[in-house]
């Protein structure tokens, strides 16, 4: 396997790997190990150009530094990308070769599942390296993170409601939920149990029928979700859904959901702020997922107690962000980034 270093100004270490025998090619980007070993999933996609894959790795690994720091975890930020179509090009030989690329970094980067990957794939990668999380079996295997991710988002919704509407009580409040997959389904259950009314959508009709039936949710078509009247909008499907087209349509007081990279551009944080819509930064709201994975990386024995403490700390961070954003009348996303810089700065001092 050929491993070469890519020089980049902001990241600690970036490698390019290429294995002719298995067809593996891609990048591992370590943005920061200041708080601990870099952790972040591996994504496999048929990128059009290697630069596109490199840019994804650089951007996503930086995002992991922010997410891990906001979740108060002793982990840095990293991410790996494999160039190829997971449906046709993912083979055991390719996955094992990727495991060797991870191993070459000697624990400075821990990999896990992301788009195009499964727990079975992690097991194959694990034949070549111990620096892999997201395994289905094993003493510290952390399993499906989505119930804990949903719990963290639920807490974020309550805290956002307290700041925006004066009470964290969700009884009778309407929450619109986009995306009813792993995270969205569990979130709807928690919201329903808390007495909230639900307006939901998904491109998968079976998911919509399940949530409508189980939790009495009102379904709407996918492109109608932005314009429904609700107290809170919870995006739990895909990224970039908060943009110049959707934000003017919103009839909500707050946005708090689990999807990654909800803001299409930095200006969209400002756009929400100008419309008086309180935005719970996504990389804080959805930190439960990495908290769950961290139990596996850090070999946490008293798992339940540890996760509960971390979720409480995450909620306090959200509270701090929203308190400061409201006091200074600025976008919570800007405050969240500033708070992460403060955490990293304190560690460095
Ligand atoms: P998932 O694939 O299980 O569910 C996503 C759902 O969104 C699917 O049901 C899909 O049909 C639906 N969807 C896709 N495009 C849509 C559209 N345009 N309109 C409406 N619905 C649409 O994924 P998930 O694990 O539930 O993750 C959801 C989001 O949360 C993703 O952005 C993911 O990156 C993020 N996230 C997930 C976790 C986790 O623990 N699973 C952790 C952190 C962040």
């Amino acid at each position: 396997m050929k491993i070469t270093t890519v020089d980049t100004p902001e990241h600690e270490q970036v490698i390019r790997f290429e294995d002719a025998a298995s067809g593996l090619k891609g990048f591992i980007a370590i943005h920061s190990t200041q708080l601990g070993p870099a952790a972040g999933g591996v994504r496999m996609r048929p990128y059009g150009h290697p630069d596109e894959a490199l840019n994804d790795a650089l951007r996503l690994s930086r995002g992991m530094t922010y997410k891990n720091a906001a979740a108060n975890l002793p982990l840095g930020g990293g991410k790996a990308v494999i160039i190829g179509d997971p449906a046709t090009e993912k083979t055991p030989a390719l996955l094992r070769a990727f495991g060797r690329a991870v191993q070459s970094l000697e624990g400075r980067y821990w990999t896990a599942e992301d788009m195009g990957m499964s727990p079975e794939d992690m097991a194959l990668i694990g034949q070549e390296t111990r620096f892999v999380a997201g395994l289905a079996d094993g003493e510290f295997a952390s399993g499906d993170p989505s119930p804990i991710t949903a719990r963290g988002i639920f807490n974020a919704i309550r805290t956002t409601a307290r700041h925006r509407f004066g009470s964290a009580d969700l009884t009778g409040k309407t929450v619109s939920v986009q995306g009813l997959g792993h995270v969205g389904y569990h979130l709807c259950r928690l919201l329903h149990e808390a007495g909230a009314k639900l307006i939901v959508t998904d491109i998968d009709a079976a998911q919509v029928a399940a949530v409508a039936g189980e939790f009495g949710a009102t379904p709407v078509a996918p492109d109608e979700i932005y314009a429904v009247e609700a107290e809170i909008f919870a995006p739990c499907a895909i990224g970039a859904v908060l943009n110049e087209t959707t934000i003017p349509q919103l009839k909500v007081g707050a946005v708090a959901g689990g999807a990654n990279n909800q803001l299409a551009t930095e200006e969209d944080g400002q756009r929400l702020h100008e419309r008086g819509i309180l935005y719970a930064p996504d990389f804080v709201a959805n930190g439960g997922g990495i908290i769950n994975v961290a139990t596996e990386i850090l070999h946490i024995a008293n798992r339940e107690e540890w996760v509960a403490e971390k979720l409480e700390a995450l909620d306090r961070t959200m509270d701090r962000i929203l308190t400061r954003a409201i006091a200074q009348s600025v976008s919570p996303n800007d405050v969240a980034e500033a708070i992460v810089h403060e955490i990293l700065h304190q560690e460095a001092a």
Side-chain angles (χ1 to χ4, degrees), residues 73-247:
L73 295 170
L75 296 173
K79 201 87 184 184
V81 295
I82 298 176
I83 302 170
D85 185 344
T88 55
E89 293 173 77
K90 195 167 70 179
T91 61
L94 177 140
L95 291 165
R96 291 186 57 167
F98 174 69
R100 292 195 291 281
V102 172
Q103 185 61 28
S104 78
L105 293 165
E106 298 173 326
R108 283 195 300 286
Y109 166 66
W110 276 78
T111 199
E113 255 179 277
D114 196 75
M115 276 164 57
M117 290 288 154
S118 69
E120 295 72 41
D121 298 334
M122 295 303 116
L124 281 160
I125 294 166
Q127 289 181 9
E128 303 285 345
T129 182
R130 67 181 185 85
F131 303 114
V132 56
L135 297 166
D137 307 298
E139 191 185 351
F140 294 100
S142 57
D144 177 9
S146 46
I148 291 172
T149 305
R151 171 62 64 182
I153 300 162
F154 176 72
N155 293 345
I157 288 176
R158 281 176 47 87
T159 297
T160 308
R162 178 159 53 76
H163 282 280
R164 184 62 180 77
F165 308 111
S167 165
D169 185 357
L170 299 178
T171 314
K173 289 206 172 73
T174 302
V175 183
S176 51
V177 183
Q178 177 186 49
L180 308 171
H182 288 89
V183 170
Y185 175 83
H186 290 293
L187 179 63
C188 285
R189 180 175 44 80
L190 293 169
L191 290 168
H192 175 66
E193 285 166 6
K197 290 187 226 154
L198 297 170
I199 301 177
V200 299
T201 196
D202 197 293
I203 50 174
D204 181 339
Q207 303 283 82
V208 176
V211 168
E214 280 181 61
F215 310 128
T218 306
V220 296
D223 57 353
E224 286 171 10
I225 196 74
Y226 303 108
V228 300
E229 262 183 64
E231 267 84 16
I232 296 171
F233 173 41
C236 296
I238 50 170
V241 293
L242 301 172
N243 54 50
E244 59 181 348
T245 312
T246 60
I247 293 171

Side-chain angles (χ1 to χ4, degrees), residues 156-157 160 242 254-257 262 272 277-286 318 321-322 332-333:
I157 288 176
T160 308
L242 301 172
V255 176
Q262 291 168 31
L272 286 169
I277 298 171
L278 189 62
Y279 172 64
D282 51 14
F283 69 87
V284 187
N286 69 21
M318 183 65 86
I321 291 166
L322 298 182
N333 211 55

